[in-house]
Amino acid sequence: MTYSKNSVLARYARWDGVGLPFAVVEQPVSRLPGPGELLVRVDMATVCGSDLHTVTGRRSSPAPSVLGHEQVGTVVGVGEGGVVCVDGIPVVPGMRIVWSVTSSCGSCDRCTRGLSQKCRRLRKYGHEPLLAEAPLTGGFASHCVVLPGTAVVTVPEGVPDAVASPASCATATVAAALVAAGALEGRQVLVTGAGMLGLTAVAMATTAGARVIAADPDPARREQALAFGAVRVVDGSVPDADADVALEFSGRSSAVQVCLDSLDVGGTAVLVGSVSPGEPVGVDPERVVRGLHTVVGVHNYRPADLQRAVDFLAAHHHSFPFAGLVEGRYALGEVGAAFEAARRGGAPRQAVAPGHSLPV
């Protein structure tokens, strides 16, 4: 296949539906993105739990599509009018960036109310139907077109790809959860679910001055939580803390119940993991009222949360074993194998490095 000096030969892993293999497709795309867009070379993408749920049929998603929404990349082209990072720095070719899982219109009622993560015209990377004329909408590709209304944050040189890639989903979501939780200095925090998000929350809450208890039924994950700063770990089968803050990342109804039942007077429960249907949980209204409890849901995040995520990783990734949470370095043609490895367990994330031997 040939392409002109004004185009780049992109490759993407097309997902055709549950039970079907990924297919690698090559397609020339313009080196010059449209107004307000970026063309980014994907340096690494990681398999998120929601990607795994999509492939196994637990989560509904359009097919065919290009999955992947946790990635770090290098800017190849900047569209007319330019793009500005969250911190106000103009984006230029060669810049290493992460970008938000969503793009928002900025003008609908939700955007103007500060709920851009729930924009009326929201688009989500890795969750869009495949369009032949605009296929580069996910991380499992050599390149991605970053749309207007997407939060963009520069990644400092010292932050490895394996640490930076999860920032655009896992780390930023945790940052949003901690904002919802309020001040953590000197408070007792219960974290249920010690996967990628839970371990990140343990580290971020510990750094913020909290005393963190981590709950997970898996002994290996409990051991990891200690390495990320937890002062105590429990199996999570019963409420075991008078928590000022309870952060729920597992999505299990039993864990949600533990969080609600563990709150001390004035406590706040932040629910993050419940992104698919589950069994209902019991809420005692009298306990909520007399305990002055607050229950908050967090889904997606705001641009400032992505900036907080990258700032935290840049400042603290040497203090906690974040790089050890990512395994593998699968080629684009091995995306299926990366998902198989994710299904088997082990590290919370499997990495895909698309490879860029082709001219950019």
Side-chain angles (χ1 to χ4, degrees):
M1 182 180 291
T2 60
Y3 53 97
S4 74
K5 65 180 181 179
N6 294 318
S7 67
V8 57
L9 184 61
R11 303 169 71 236
Y12 58 88
R14 188 187 68 216
W15 178 68
D16 289 321
V18 177
L20 298 175
F22 286 86
V24 176
V25 179
E26 292 186 350
Q27 183 169 331
V29 296
S30 172
R31 184 192 298 266
L32 300 175
E37 295 180 345
L38 301 173
L39 179 63
V40 182
R41 186 187 70 207
V42 178
D43 297 324
M44 178 175 285
T46 39
V47 179
C48 177
S50 62
D51 292 319
L52 190 58
H53 293 163
T54 294
V55 168
T56 57
R58 290 187 57 194
R59 177 190 179 112
S60 176
S61 191
S65 65
V66 179
L67 303 180
H69 55 271
E70 286 186 344
Q71 63 280 304
V72 57
T74 302
V75 177
V76 174
V78 181
E80 182 182 354
V83 176
V84 178
C85 292
V86 173
D87 62 3
I89 297 175
V91 177
V92 295
M95 184 178 282
R96 187 163 168 252
I97 64 169
V98 292
W99 55 98
S100 57
V101 70
T102 62
S103 69
S104 308
C105 72
S107 59
C108 71
D109 59 324
R110 291 178 180 172
C111 286
T112 56
R113 287 166 52 204
L115 299 174
S116 59
Q117 71 271 48
K118 290 295 177 181
C119 171
R120 299 281 185 185
R121 292 180 283 276
L122 190 77
R123 297 189 68 184
K124 295 191 73 173
Y125 296 95
H127 297 84
E128 296 293 321
L130 181 65
L131 300 177
E133 68 275 17
L136 302 180
T137 57
F140 299 134
S142 64
H143 298 76
C144 184
V145 174
V146 176
L147 303 170
T150 303
V152 176
V153 174
T154 56
V155 178
E157 184 176 345
V159 181
D161 285 346
V163 173
S165 185
S168 57
C169 181
T171 323
T173 300
V174 172
L178 265 60
V179 169
L184 297 180
E185 177 76 35
R187 305 183 80 186
Q188 181 148 286
V189 173
L190 173 66
V191 174
T192 57
M196 188 75 196
L197 278 80
L199 293 171
T200 302
V202 171
M204 294 181 81
T206 296
T207 302
R211 179 178 183 272
V212 182
I213 300 169
D216 197 288
D218 186 333
R221 287 187 169 192
R222 294 199 296 272
E223 192 68 23
Q224 281 187 309
L226 293 172
F228 278 81
V231 298
R232 186 158 62 94
V233 293
V234 296
D235 65 11
S237 58
V238 294
D240 196 36
D242 291 324
D244 299 306
V245 173
L247 304 170
E248 207 303 291
F249 296 102
S250 75
R252 296 179 179 174
S253 296
S254 58
V256 173
Q257 192 71 63
V258 166
C259 284
L260 297 177
D261 293 345
S262 297
L263 291 180
D264 200 358
V265 171
T268 298
V270 183
L271 308 182
V272 182
S274 301
V275 292
S276 57
E279 294 296 320
V281 300
V283 177
D284 180 353
E286 182 184 12
R287 188 171 186 276
V288 173
V289 170
R290 292 188 183 277
L292 304 176
H293 294 164
T294 302
V295 180
V296 183
V298 168
H299 188 234
N300 299 334
Y301 53 83
R302 297 180 177 91
D305 299 315
L306 182 58
Q307 184 70 60
R308 292 186 188 97
V310 174
D311 289 347
F312 175 82
L313 292 173
H316 301 289
H317 76 92
H318 289 300
S319 302
F320 304 100
F322 278 103
L325 299 180
V326 178
E327 287 180 345
R329 197 175 178 89
Y330 294 89
L332 191 60
E334 301 172 320
V335 169
F339 274 82
E340 284 298 326
R343 262 194 288 263
R344 290 194 299 267
R349 291 291 188 270
Q350 298 293 324
V352 175
H356 308 295
S357 60
L358 295 170
V360 297

